[in-house]
Amino acid sequence: MTVAAQTPMQRAWPQPSHPAAVRVVSSRLLASIDQHEDADADADADADADTDSSADDEREKQKAASFCLTAVAARDIPAASLVARNSSTTLAAVKAYSTVQVSRNAHIELNSDLLYCNHSCDPNVRFVTSTLAADSLAGPPGAPVAGALEVWSTRAIPAGEELRFFYPSTEWEMSQPFRCSCGASQCLGWVDGAKKTAAEVLQRYWLSDHIRALLGERERN
């Protein structure tokens, strides 16, 4: 997948957070996409021969630390099995690239290596949010969420394969829509949350309860 450049999230959780099932590695695909988009941006910008080289160095550091990490299976994972449980989530102030929507209005920060589970239009995992305690989703930003988000495999996943879920399965509207490069045979091409995805497309996927409810309202209106 591709996302717009921004300041990378500072990792503040013990790593690895799920060593039995998840590893975080550099992704050649994401790095190549990042470099390609940087080249496009550079082609559109006016060249400045007097630019201080230190600015270029800082830009390279930011790029290297940005969105080139991905979560992969640390072992062979059977189909329809629990991959990880995450009980370290906290309520987010606003939706962002790092958050997961867990109800009509609530979004959470994962605070774990599951942050690096990227999108695919042919996902091999699903993020189950109904296992979080609904009565803990109305607190202030930063408040811990009771219960645990669960990640389940949708098929057998060999060790080393990237763990990817379908973003519109949890996200009604996305803070940063993006051009998808997942390579799936039925790739959506543009990912912008379930709200702007056709119902016939969404029927192919497992969807969170809050997305199904919002989709039902959309179809009735």
Side-chain angles (χ1 to χ4, degrees):
M1 73 166 193
T2 57
V3 293
Q6 58 178 294
T7 302
M9 181 178 180
Q10 297 297 315
R11 291 172 287 177
W13 56 86
Q15 290 186 294
S17 60
H18 304 282
V22 181
R23 291 191 301 118
V24 176
V25 300
S26 296
S27 168
R28 292 183 179 180
L29 173 61
L30 293 179
S32 66
I33 292 171
D34 190 38
Q35 292 168 2
H36 175 72
E37 293 190 342
D38 282 347
D40 289 345
D42 291 343
D44 293 336
D46 292 332
D48 186 353
D50 296 327
T51 299
D52 189 344
S53 61
S54 63
D56 292 335
D57 292 342
E58 181 61 25
R59 182 168 176 270
E60 288 302 312
K61 289 179 182 178
Q62 291 178 355
K63 182 173 69 175
S66 62
F67 298 95
C68 298
L69 297 176
T70 188
V72 303
R75 56 176 172 81
D76 291 341
I77 298 173
S81 64
L82 179 64
V83 177
R85 298 181 76 253
N86 182 18
S87 58
S88 62
T89 63
T90 53
L91 290 173
V94 295
K95 65 174 178 282
Y97 82 94
S98 61
T99 63
V100 173
Q101 187 172 353
V102 296
S103 71
R104 178 183 296 270
N105 299 309
H107 302 258
I108 60 170
E109 294 286 0
L110 294 170
N111 303 316
S112 82
D113 291 345
L114 297 178
L115 170 68
Y116 301 108
C117 291
N118 293 309
H119 167 84
S120 176
C121 298
D122 183 19
N124 56 11
V125 296
R126 61 182 58 158
F127 275 28
V128 178
T129 61
S130 58
T131 48
L132 297 169
D135 59 0
S136 67
L137 300 180
V145 178
L149 179 144
E150 295 185 351
V151 179
W152 286 79
S153 61
T154 62
R155 58 171 173 78
I157 306 171
E161 182 174 314
E162 291 189 39
L163 301 175
R164 292 174 173 257
F165 74 107
F166 183 62
Y167 282 5
S169 69
T170 60
E171 309 305 305
W172 184 240
E173 295 182 272
M174 294 183 61
S175 63
Q176 287 189 301
F178 60 91
R179 176 172 53 82
C180 185
S181 302
C182 71
S185 60
Q186 293 184 305
C187 178
L188 273 61
W190 183 254
V191 178
D192 194 7
K195 181 178 180 179
K196 296 183 180 179
T197 304
E200 56 268 26
V201 172
L202 293 174
Q203 288 175 357
R204 302 199 300 258
Y205 297 95
W206 175 90
L207 302 174
S208 297
D209 291 345
H210 61 276
I211 295 297
R212 289 193 176 279
L214 289 165
L215 182 61
E217 293 176 10
R218 185 190 75 178
E219 297 306 303
R220 288 192 296 271
N221 294 333

